[in-house]
Amino acid sequence: MVPFTGPGGEPLALAYAPAGGEGPYRLVLLLHGAGGSARQGLDLLLPLADAHRLLLLAPQSTASSWDLIVEGFGPDVRRIDELLSTVFAAYPVDQVVAGGFSDGASYALSLGLTNGDLVGAVLAFSPGFAAPLVTHGRPRVFVSHGTDDRVLPVDVCSRRLVPRLHGLGYQVDYAEFTGGHEVPAEIRQRAVEWLTG
């Protein structure tokens, strides 16, 4: 695990690169939920990274949640751009994936659809919404949501969002599960198999 820190030592991100193997990586940008941490973002897929050769990059939001949730794209986008430039310079990458949980899932969808010429796929675990500024390309999308989610209820979130994405022409794999505001192990596995299949 590689920590990225700012000039004053503040945590900017965590990264993980599987050892060994040949050829380029699939880079997954992982965005934590509101009030969360880079470590929580990284942990979304860390147990599956080695088996599927996933290069993970988990930024820390500059505030308690991502800038788009509060006032529109700003300091978090700049931080993510800088982190991506650093990772691209250090590792061979052939695909970029945006992923996240809760507010991080909403942010991943918004960034991924806005930057679909760079982002090939989006993993959205329990998203609330998608608010791309504009859309480019057609990234594939995986969405999961718990039927008993009390934080972001499935009826007003994913059950509205997924048909909207279908209507806009996106290929969406949607997985509902019995549970709350969480990402069960079997959903993580399904998402990664969908991503790498």
Side-chain angles (χ1 to χ4, degrees):
M1 196 172 320
V2 179
F4 290 80
T5 56
E10 75 272 20
L12 301 181
L14 290 173
Y16 177 80
E22 294 182 9
Y25 291 97
R26 180 180 277 112
L27 170 63
V28 186
L29 178 71
L30 291 170
L31 307 173
H32 62 75
S37 66
R39 181 59 202 240
Q40 288 171 321
L42 193 75
D43 285 347
L44 285 170
L45 296 184
L46 187 58
L48 302 167
D50 287 333
H52 297 276
R53 195 165 165 72
L54 303 177
L55 173 61
L56 308 180
L57 175 62
Q60 179 67 50
S61 61
T62 57
S64 63
S65 193
W66 302 97
D67 50 20
L68 176 65
I69 312 299
V70 180
E71 58 187 19
F73 291 121
D76 287 323
V77 168
R78 288 191 291 276
R79 175 176 288 183
I80 288 168
D81 283 346
E82 291 170 5
L83 290 166
L84 287 173
S85 294
T86 300
V87 171
F88 290 155
Y91 299 95
V93 172
D94 68 352
Q95 185 183 11
V96 177
V97 177
F101 169 66
S102 191
D103 277 6
S106 300
Y107 201 52
L109 276 167
S110 301
L111 284 177
L113 301 185
T114 298
N115 297 283
D117 44 356
L118 170 69
V119 175
V122 178
L123 303 176
F125 302 112
S126 305
F129 64 89
L133 292 178
V134 293
T135 58
H136 296 282
R138 279 287 180 268
R140 298 184 304 139
V141 180
F142 177 92
V143 177
S144 69
H145 218 115
T147 55
D148 301 318
D149 193 329
R150 301 283 188 261
V151 178
L152 294 171
V154 66
D155 279 337
V156 296
C157 294
S158 290
R159 286 180 183 168
R160 291 184 182 177
L161 176 60
V162 169
R164 185 172 146 239
L165 291 171
H166 278 301
L168 293 171
Y170 291 96
Q171 176 189 337
V172 184
D173 188 325
Y174 180 47
E176 279 190 10
F177 59 91
T178 302
H181 199 57
E182 59 188 316
V183 190
E186 61 270 20
I187 291 294
R188 298 169 203 238
Q189 183 68 42
R190 176 171 166 176
V192 170
E193 288 175 357
W194 168 87
L195 179 62
T196 60

